[in-house]
Amino acid sequence: MLKSAKKHGGEKYVKSFDGYTHLLTMLYAVIQRFDSLREIETHMTAEVRKLHHIGIETVPRRSTLSDANARRSEKFFEEVYRDLYAANKTLLSSDSNNCNIRHLANVYMPTWH
């Protein structure tokens, strides 16, 4: 993922909110169905202890999220999605009736390094 971020210029001017944390934050927002940056920040602040185990050490502020969304190319997220899908497509099912929750434990999520 770091290679993808650098390739698409997503790590320029980044101090602490790297592409991996940005991806996790946006996935959290989508899963929780949040509509605003304020909602993301508020709920993540309340859940920060629970988010620690997936690598989110500090909650990004609204301005940080806004800047990152404007600065980081969607190509970064597209490439990460394609890589994750390619690595896990045999475990994923398009049929919700055929979904086996035990397979989710085997889903590959690469580390940031």
Side-chain angles (χ1 to χ4, degrees):
M1 274 193 270
L2 183 58
K3 186 170 76 171
S4 295
K6 287 182 179 180
K7 175 180 170 184
H8 297 293
E11 297 306 301
K12 289 181 183 176
Y13 314 111
V14 172
K15 293 179 185 173
S16 62
F17 194 60
D18 57 25
Y20 183 73
T21 306
H22 191 184
L23 175 67
L24 292 177
T25 301
M26 298 314 289
L27 288 172
Y28 179 78
V30 168
I31 291 168
Q32 295 292 332
R33 297 183 178 163
F34 294 146
D35 294 323
S36 70
L37 298 178
R38 183 179 306 275
E39 238 181 341
I40 295 168
E41 180 187 25
T42 302
H43 286 269
M44 287 184 75
T45 300
E47 302 289 340
V48 72
R49 289 187 194 158
K50 294 177 184 176
L51 298 173
H52 176 73
H53 74 280
I54 63 169
I56 298 177
E57 301 295 329
T58 59
V59 175
R61 300 285 174 222
R62 288 189 312 271
S63 60
T64 303
L65 278 170
S66 178
D67 292 345
N69 287 339
R71 191 177 53 243
R72 196 165 274 125
S73 170
E74 71 278 356
K75 296 290 184 188
F76 163 69
F77 296 103
E78 178 183 344
E79 191 169 314
V80 169
Y81 170 80
R82 290 181 189 278
D83 290 347
L84 288 173
Y85 181 77
N88 295 294
K89 67 182 173 186
T90 58
L91 298 174
L92 302 173
S93 172
S94 61
D95 181 8
S96 61
N97 295 327
N98 194 24
C99 183
N100 188 340
I101 197 73
R102 287 181 285 149
H103 291 304
L104 294 179
N106 298 324
V107 170
Y108 171 72
M109 180 71 172
T111 60
W112 180 241
H113 307 288

